[in-house]
Structures are given as C-alpha cells and as structure tokens.
Amino acid sequence: MIAQLKEEELFACILRNIDIGISVIDENGLFVYYNETMEKIEGIKAEEVIGKHVLEIHTNLNESSSTLLNCLRTGKRINNRIKVQVNKHGEVIYLVTTNVPIIKEDKIIGAIEYVKNENSFGELYDYLDKKHKNHKKEVKEIKDKDIIKGYTFEDFLTIEKELIILINKIKDMALYDYNVFISGETGTGKEIIAQSIHNRSQRKNKPFIAQNCAAIPENLLESIFFGTDKGSFTGAVDKMGLFEQAKGGTLLLDELNSLPIYLQAKLLRVLQEGYIRRIGGTEDILVDVRVIATINEKPELLIKGNRLREDLFYRLGPIYINIPPLRERKADIDYLTKVFIKRESKSIKVKEPILSKKVKQYFRDYSWVGNVRELKNVVKYIILNSACSEVVDIDYLPYYMKNNLIDKKIHDLNLEDLDYQDKVIEFEKVIINDALKTTKGNVSEASKLLGIKRQTLQYKIKKWQIE
C-alpha cells in the first residue's frame, strides 16, 4: 500500500512527523517552509513565519549572528552548532542546529536549518549544564542585548540586502588602520557605524572620543581641538585637546562640515604631518589617532559650496562610506517598526499595538527626514498615545505627520481643469475631512481645530455633502 504513495506525499508525511525542526529560507532570507516540530520548538506558528525575513522573526539576532543567514551568504554547511536562546514564550531553550545551503547550477538559492532541542538528546541537557557554567550569564546577555555600552555592528539593524553587503565590507575595512569618511543624512546611524569600526579595530581598548563639531563655540574651536598651555592667555591652564585625549584610539568628528574652512586647513596639516601644538605651546606632540569624520550632506555639494575642503576630503580616506536614507530602504521600514514596537512595549510593560494597513502603507510612503531616529521616536509616541487601543490608525500619529498627510492629499489632487474657486473648494474638502476624522466626527471640536465657527463648518459640510 505504501508503495502506491507518491514521492511528494511520502516526504510530506516524513517532514510532518519527524522529531527534527526543519525550516527553509529562499535567497532573500525569507521563510518558505517551517514544519510542525519547529513550531513546537520555537513556539511560533508557521503562518506567522512564512514569507517573513529571518530577522523579522528572530529580532534578537542580526545578519552576523544568524547561522542560517551565514550559511546562505557563504554557501558553507554549518554542523551541530549549540545555541542557547529565548523562545517566544520567554523560555530558555538549548538547541543544536545544522545549516545546509541549497545550491543549483553553482548558485545559492536558499538554505535549510535542522534543529533539535534538549528533549531530543537524552542527557545533552546535563552535558550542556556542566560544560557551560556561565549559561545564565549568556541568557541574560540575550535578554538584555539592548543594554550595551558602546555600539557594535550588531546594533545596526537592517534586512536590506545591499546594505547588509555594505556592512560586511565595512567590517573587513575596520581592521585596517585607515581614516574613515562617513556620509549620510541625520539619523541614519553614522555614529553606530563609527563606534562599531572602533570596537572592531586594534584600537578597541583605547579611547573613543566623539565630538559634534556643530556644538563648539567658534572662539573655543582651536583650544578644544589642540589644547592649551598655561600662561598662553589670561586664565589659560594646561589642558589636553581632542587629539591628545584620543591618543592611541579613535577620534570621531561628527558634522565635520560645520567647522570653519580655516580650522579645516589646520586639521589637514595635523593629518599630513602627524603632530599638533597646543595653543601657546612650543612643543610638537605626536598624534597617534584614527580619525573618523561624518557629514550629513552630499560631499560634492559641500565642496562646491566651499564648506568642505576638497584636499581634506581626500585626506580623510581611503575608506568612504555612504549610508542610504530610510525612505530608500522600504523593507527596513517594516522591519525596524516591528523591532521598535517590540522593544518599547516591553520596556514600559504594555501590550504591543498593531498598526493598521493604512498606517503601514503611510510609513512606506513617508519621507522620514529624521530617518531611523525619527521612526524610533514616532513608535514611542504611538505606544504612549494608543495605550488603550489594539489597532493603531492614522489618528494616533504625531500631529506633524497628519499635517504631512493632508499636504500629500492636496498635492495629489488633480486640479488642472478647475478654475480658481473650484480649486479652493477641493482644498477645503480635504482639510475639513481630515479635521472631522481627527475629532471622530465631532463638529464642535473640528471647528476649533480649523479655527472657524461651528455654524460655518456645518454649512460647508452640508453644502459639499461631506460625510
């Protein structure tokens, strides 16, 4: 009878009943298979997993620490890796995993993970308990992963394929003791990258000094950078500058383009000659510092506008890094939103809110001028503002985002064939509709919000048949 079963039916029966957890991801890191045993081991249903990225499901992992993604990237098999992790129910579980790449015509098209937990190994739990006496500490590190002094590459969260490739390149470049130049908009994570480079370099046990160049009063710029000698001017004392403070380590110059051109010239000289001299001093002091500089605008525009010296730009190489803005990382918008909601809800001990489809779509279309930093703050606002609501709609967004939505609706109106008066009416309809939506249909509150009389608003609602 069994011989009559089709091969697919036979394998389906085996996969359903085998006591090994099996999951499969495609070339983009998305789950395409997740068997029943894996559901039991990790406490997650297959429907919650299929179609999702590995890092969306396992938010405590990143591209480096996930063996499944490492297998996918390298095409190398990973055998019997022992892992300690916390499942969805907050339980500590011990796992042994094997990862196998799926290769077709010399191309990696996916990866398989085989998982067994301690209940499948008999005495393995006791063995692990004896061998890993510090397992409680490891578990605590997993649970408290967010509480880290100093950033590492694991803190830069992304599931964008191109950005993951870039981060892996930066990890390799960090080992070489060259200066680094990072460009990217405010809030994209430039300081995370800078500190991660330091923590991965040979200078990691030396100082990491970060200075926002825009925050220094112009009359103190030179003394802060190069230090002072006692007696050089009234009230002067012997004081180390930034370069001396960072001796042997890394100096991060954030928003370098805020420095006046004359000081950029002096900075260039330090990088060329390797020495500084304190203000009022007579001795040259050897500088042993790796400099990482960041800017929040495009370097070519800064150079053209005479706000960044071209020779300084080249001297601060040869490692040049550009971090793309969040609006160009659509997959990361969904992923980071989920991560931040989970973290912030856990932090203040509230139930995780669910974003409506409309809010999710608006997040994908929104410009995110403040990038990841803005998204994180918006998530905090939503959680505080929707404490008693299970589903978050547009009404729960910060006021400036709702105003932006109105502006977008007005911008998207097709007004080409309308005369002036009809254009004004269409504008008003959009504004009134949104005011009524914000106040949940309360005309009195909507009139206050719009700054017009209640009777005037009622007249317009009736005249233009606004629901």
Side-chain angles (χ1 to χ4, degrees):
M1 192 73 174
I2 193 169
Q4 296 176 358
L5 286 176
K6 292 181 180 179
E7 188 176 279
E8 305 88 63
E9 294 175 323
L10 182 60
F11 276 109
C13 181
I14 293 170
L15 292 174
R16 275 198 308 271
N17 295 285
I18 197 169
D19 66 345
I20 297 175
I22 302 174
S23 62
V24 182
I25 60 171
D26 65 14
E27 59 185 350
N28 295 313
L30 305 178
F31 283 104
V32 294
Y33 182 78
Y34 198 83
N35 75 347
E36 291 179 16
T37 304
M38 190 67 93
E39 287 183 333
K40 293 173 184 175
I41 290 173
E42 297 197 323
I44 312 173
K45 291 292 183 183
E47 54 264 30
E48 299 176 59
V49 174
I50 302 300
K52 302 287 181 61
H53 193 277
V54 173
L55 301 184
E56 285 187 74
I57 302 301
H58 301 293
T59 54
N60 62 310
L61 297 178
N62 57 45
E63 201 273 338
S64 301
S65 58
S66 168
T67 54
L68 196 52
L69 291 180
N70 273 313
C71 176
L72 180 67
R73 187 178 70 252
T74 63
K76 295 180 180 178
R77 183 184 179 110
I78 301 173
N79 290 316
N80 299 324
R81 179 69 60 85
I82 297 175
K83 294 196 293 189
V84 184
Q85 73 179 50
V86 181
N87 68 12
K88 189 177 180 182
H89 305 301
E91 302 165 337
V92 178
I93 54 176
Y94 296 88
L95 306 174
V96 172
T97 65
T98 293
N99 302 104
V100 181
I102 305 171
I103 300 174
K104 183 178 181 181
E105 297 176 356
D106 296 327
K107 184 181 178 183
I108 304 170
I109 61 171
I112 306 171
E113 181 164 70
Y114 303 103
V115 176
K116 298 188 81 175
N117 66 2
E118 71 270 14
N119 295 327
S120 306
F121 319 129
E123 297 179 354
L124 178 62
Y125 180 88
D126 294 332
Y127 166 76
L128 285 169
D129 195 40
K130 291 174 184 177
K131 187 173 181 179
H132 300 284
K133 291 181 179 179
N134 63 341
H135 70 284
K136 290 184 179 179
K137 181 182 176 183
E138 292 174 358
V139 171
K140 188 177 186 303
E141 286 175 358
I142 293 171
K143 290 186 174 181
D144 298 338
K145 190 178 173 218
D146 294 337
I147 307 171
I148 300 173
K149 290 183 179 180
Y151 294 117
T152 67
F153 284 107
E154 293 183 356
D155 294 300
F156 193 95
L157 304 176
T158 181
I159 59 172
E160 290 282 351
K161 197 169 184 178
E162 294 298 319
L163 195 47
I164 288 171
I165 292 170
L166 174 63
I167 296 299
N168 285 325
K169 286 180 179 177
I170 298 170
K171 285 180 184 178
D172 293 336
M173 290 187 288
L175 300 172
Y176 299 96
D177 201 29
Y178 292 121
N179 293 329
V180 182
F181 193 93
I182 307 173
S183 60
E185 295 179 8
T186 299
T188 49
K190 297 188 294 297
E191 186 165 349
I192 293 177
I193 294 295
Q195 204 165 104
S196 299
I197 289 171
H198 170 76
N199 285 330
R200 188 170 168 79
S201 73
Q202 295 177 356
R203 298 176 179 266
K204 61 185 177 183
N205 295 321
K206 298 294 184 179
F208 177 85
I209 304 296
Q211 177 62 57
N212 186 333
C213 298
I216 310 174
E218 190 164 347
N219 62 324
L220 298 178
L221 279 168
E222 288 194 62
S223 62
I224 286 176
F225 269 83
F226 308 120
T228 57
D229 267 357
K230 188 175 182 179
S232 55
F233 56 85
T234 305
V237 295
D238 287 329
K239 186 178 179 182
M240 292 192 299
L242 293 172
F243 281 94
E244 287 184 80
Q245 293 172 41
K247 183 179 179 181
T250 304
L251 175 59
L252 170 61
L253 300 179
D254 196 20
E255 296 189 40
L256 177 74
N257 49 294
S258 300
L259 290 181
I261 290 295
Y262 82 87
L263 191 61
Q264 291 186 28
K266 293 191 175 186
L267 179 59
L268 175 64
R269 193 177 305 119
V270 172
L271 296 176
Q272 286 175 332
E273 298 174 0
Y275 290 89
I276 63 158
R277 182 177 292 182
R278 291 183 180 182
I279 295 176
T282 56
E283 292 183 20
D284 287 332
I285 302 170
L286 179 65
V287 171
D288 175 23
V289 171
R290 182 184 200 173
V291 175
I292 301 178
T294 74
I295 57 170
N296 52 22
E297 298 180 52
K298 293 182 178 179
E300 58 269 26
L301 295 179
L302 293 172
I303 292 169
K304 189 176 179 180
N306 199 32
R307 294 162 58 203
L308 176 66
R309 288 182 63 109
E310 189 171 9
D311 47 5
L312 178 60
F313 171 66
Y314 293 124
R315 176 59 68 175
L316 282 166
I319 300 176
Y320 298 99
I321 299 165
N322 178 62
I323 305 175
L326 184 59
R327 60 183 168 275
E328 295 178 8
R329 298 156 49 187
K330 299 298 183 184
D332 275 354
I333 293 173
D334 290 340
Y335 166 58
L336 292 173
T337 300
K338 290 177 183 176
V339 171
F340 294 153
I341 285 176
K342 186 178 288 292
R343 286 184 181 178
E344 296 303 325
S345 300
K346 183 179 179 181
S347 174
I348 62 174
K349 296 179 175 59
V350 298
K351 187 178 179 182
E352 292 179 27
I354 299 170
L355 301 188
S356 68
K357 290 182 179 179
K358 195 170 183 180
V359 170
K360 287 180 180 178
Q361 187 58 52
Y362 180 54
F363 274 21
R364 292 187 198 104
D365 296 337
Y366 183 62
S367 59
W368 296 111
V369 177
N371 292 287
V372 178
R373 187 181 296 131
E374 182 184 3
L375 174 59
K376 195 169 187 177
N377 285 330
V378 167
V379 167
K380 288 180 180 179
Y381 178 91
I382 286 172
I383 291 173
L384 292 172
N385 198 38
S386 62
C388 300
S389 303
E390 290 191 2
V391 179
V392 173
D393 210 338
I394 296 292
D395 294 342
Y396 292 102
L397 298 181
Y399 75 91
Y400 73 88
M401 292 185 79
K402 288 188 282 191
N403 289 344
N404 180 277
L405 186 58
I406 294 173
D407 292 341
K408 186 177 183 301
K409 287 179 182 176
I410 291 173
H411 181 269
D412 292 343
L413 285 174
N414 185 7
L415 306 174
E416 288 183 10
D417 299 326
L418 301 179
D419 59 24
Y420 174 78
Q421 190 59 40
D422 287 337
K423 287 180 181 178
V424 172
I425 290 170
E426 291 303 315
F427 281 141
E428 280 198 289
K429 283 182 180 179
V430 170
I431 295 168
I432 290 171
N433 259 313
D434 277 277
L436 288 169
K437 194 168 184 180
T438 300
T439 61
K440 295 181 171 57
N442 188 314
V443 178
S444 296
E445 292 299 319
S447 65
K448 292 177 185 177
L449 192 64
L450 293 168
I452 61 176
K453 291 182 179 180
R454 186 176 183 276
Q455 294 87 340
T456 304
L457 179 57
Q458 283 182 318
Y459 168 75
K460 290 178 183 288
I461 291 170
K462 186 176 181 181
K463 182 180 178 181
W464 297 324
Q465 298 179 335
I466 296 173
E467 293 183 2

